[in-house]
Amino acid sequence: MPGPQISFLPDGRRLHLHHGPIDMIADVTGPGRETALQRAARRFETLLEELAAELPRLRSRQGRMPEGETARRMVQATFPFASTFITPMAAVAGAGAETILAAICDGEG
């Protein structure tokens, strides 16, 4: 599988982040836009690899708390529904988006 693909869409404004099954579009407005998008791109570079490293845990209902930031978000999002059959994979899209958003917001601007 090719590595992360990070590029701007034809509009030149929105950042397209793609790697395997992950496909996101990010945009930022206001001061610090360029550096915020750079932070998003840097954070995205390892996102899929981090999730893949914890995949057995993320595919099961219970187990140890994962190490990765996004995997932890997934477990926390599905924890309230643990009494029914749900795995953290139900929260993969939202948790991935929150991880990129946190990177965007973690700096000046």
Side-chain angles (χ1 to χ4, degrees):
M1 170 175 24
Q5 299 170 5
I6 302 169
S7 61
F8 282 95
L9 291 175
D11 64 11
R13 177 142 189 93
R14 295 173 296 160
L15 187 63
H16 183 209
L17 308 166
H18 179 80
H19 191 187
I22 303 174
D23 202 18
M24 296 184 196
I25 296 174
D27 195 5
V28 175
T29 58
R33 177 181 184 276
E34 290 78 19
T35 56
L37 290 175
Q38 289 171 0
R39 287 191 302 270
R42 276 193 309 271
R43 182 63 189 92
F44 184 75
E45 289 176 351
T46 60
L47 184 60
L48 183 59
E49 292 171 357
E50 292 167 19
L51 292 173
E54 302 200 71
L55 199 52
R57 165 58 184 108
L58 297 173
R59 287 182 171 164
S60 66
R61 281 177 33 163
Q62 298 177 4
R64 64 171 174 71
M65 181 59 84
E67 298 295 321
E69 148 190 39
T70 307
R72 285 178 177 269
R73 283 187 169 110
M74 293 166 64
V75 169
Q76 291 166 348
T78 56
F79 184 77
F81 310 99
S83 63
T84 60
F85 183 79
I86 190 168
T87 71
M89 290 302 293
V92 67
E98 285 181 2
T99 296
I100 299 304
L101 177 61
I104 287 171
C105 296
D106 188 26
E108 295 183 27

